[in-house]
Amino acid sequence: MTQAGPSRPVILDTISATRSALAGIEDVVLVPTLGALHDGHLALISRALELGSTVIVSIFVNPLQFGPNEDLDKYPRTLDADLDLLGIAGVQYVFAPTVEEMYPHGATSTHVVAGQVGGLYEGRSRPGHFDGVLTVVAKLLNIVRPAVVMFGQKDAQQVFLVRRMIEDLNIPVRVEVVETVREDSGLALSSRNRFLDAKETRAARTLSLALEAAASSADRGVDAALAAAQGTLMGEPLVSLDYLKIVNPETFLPADDGYRGPALALIAARVGTTRLIDNGRIVLTG
Ligand code: PAF
């Protein structure tokens, strides 16, 4: 265990030090992150600080959730700046393990399999991604044993799958979800936004505009909502759509045109070379 500067959290880099530091504390709140913290994470953290006496933020760029052609090496690593932000926010502990500490058996270690929904949308574009996410989340929950774990609504499919895993594997933790934080333009905050140049940043707002267009046409059914969103995206040549789907939030399966009720519109697109995701609630009526 290393005690960092006065305003910084205690940095724990081993599982045993983390268990010792948290032993006997009942209302621990865990905020799992990949680091490169931004205001979206700070919204999770400020809610976490309201919920429990002890907040621990994990910072771990989990190799298991990155595919062979993805941005694992390029993923921003900003530990120093992250620790400053967490100190200012009043977080007590950071768990920042090495890959060897988390996966001592390397590629031969046991994995969680995300199931049917894990192979759709993000999981279809990024095979194995959700197995990697759920494996690391299960490990973090076992290491920290928090009362509450925090996630952001921006990763709606991740939230659905984590909840499903917690239910299926009977893990005793409550999930708390915090709304997506957006720039004034509507662009959802993401650690990957830092890769966008000025033109791409302007183009990236089309994702949230497309979600708004879907919501405005939702009184005419799923197909009309999808067409409205697609129409918005067509006007922006820098955006290359990966998927645009409307799903039933209870099952996370695609909603058909006859579906009525609350739904989620999901979008993923490349803006230049940067892949972004977003989602918005819509209500299908009419
Ligand atoms: O959403 C993320 O930042 C990651 O997928 C998570 C939950 C920290 C697991 O690595």
Side-chain angles (χ1 to χ4, degrees):
M1 189 191 305
T2 350
Q3 175 73 59
S7 67
R8 284 185 162 193
V10 174
I11 304 163
L12 305 157
D13 54 12
T14 66
I15 293 166
S16 62
T18 305
R19 289 210 167 122
S20 307
L22 300 177
I25 308 176
E26 284 190 356
D27 58 346
V28 173
V29 184
L30 168 66
V31 185
T33 79
L34 297 169
L37 303 181
H38 50 65
D39 284 352
H41 296 109
L42 293 180
L44 292 180
I45 287 159
S46 78
R47 180 74 185 124
L49 288 161
E50 285 167 14
L51 291 173
S53 70
T54 305
V55 172
I56 178 163
V57 173
S58 63
I59 297 184
F60 179 60
V61 182
N62 172 35
L64 225 57
Q65 69 189 73
F66 289 79
N69 300 318
E70 293 187 17
D71 57 353
L72 174 63
D73 294 336
K74 206 179 130 202
Y75 199 85
R77 288 160 172 86
T78 58
L79 186 61
D80 239 29
D82 291 348
L83 294 173
D84 283 343
L85 280 178
L86 294 174
I88 294 165
V91 166
Q92 296 95 329
Y93 295 102
V94 166
F95 177 50
T98 60
V99 172
E100 293 70 33
E101 179 72 6
M102 289 298 273
Y103 300 116
H105 305 297
T108 64
S109 57
T110 307
H111 292 182
V112 176
V113 176
Q116 183 198 11
V117 172
L120 304 176
Y121 328 120
E122 270 312 274
R124 192 177 175 143
S125 299
R126 307 181 63 189
H129 170 68
F130 287 118
D131 295 357
V133 169
L134 295 188
T135 301
V136 81
V137 170
K139 285 175 71 73
L140 291 168
L141 293 174
N142 281 328
I143 293 163
V144 172
R145 294 174 191 254
V148 182
V149 62
M150 312 291 304
F151 290 95
Q153 174 63 21
K154 179 171 159 288
D155 297 300
Q157 191 177 2
Q158 170 171 282
V159 170
F160 177 88
L161 289 166
V162 167
R163 283 192 197 281
R164 177 59 69 79
M165 173 183 74
I166 284 169
E167 190 186 329
D168 287 347
L169 302 186
N170 309 102
I171 304 176
V173 67
R174 181 160 71 81
V175 176
E176 180 85 11
V177 179
V178 169
E179 283 308 309
T180 304
V181 179
R182 297 178 182 280
E183 291 185 359
D184 290 345
S185 68
L187 174 64
L189 296 196
S190 160
S191 303
R192 292 190 169 97
N193 289 356
R194 68 191 71 200
F195 298 132
L196 302 170
D197 65 23
K199 259 191 183 162
E200 290 167 346
T201 303
R202 274 194 301 279
R205 62 193 280 270
T206 321
L207 273 70
S208 60
L209 292 177
L211 296 172
E212 281 170 24
S216 314
S217 300
D219 56 343
R220 290 185 289 120
V222 168
D223 291 350
L226 288 171
Q230 248 141 11
T232 306
L233 292 163
M234 270 165 55
E236 181 45 76
L238 287 180
V239 174
S240 149
L241 183 64
D242 179 355
Y243 62 80
L244 171 67
K245 300 282 175 192
I246 293 181
V247 303
N248 179 334
E250 296 298 317
T251 60
F252 235 82
L253 295 173
D256 60 32
D257 200 36
Y259 176 84
R260 295 290 175 268
L264 272 180
L266 311 177
I267 189 166
R270 259 179 211 289
V271 183
T273 55
T274 306
R275 190 166 180 284
L276 300 176
I277 62 171
D278 199 356
N279 68 85
R281 290 190 187 83
I282 68 174
V283 183
L284 293 146
T285 56

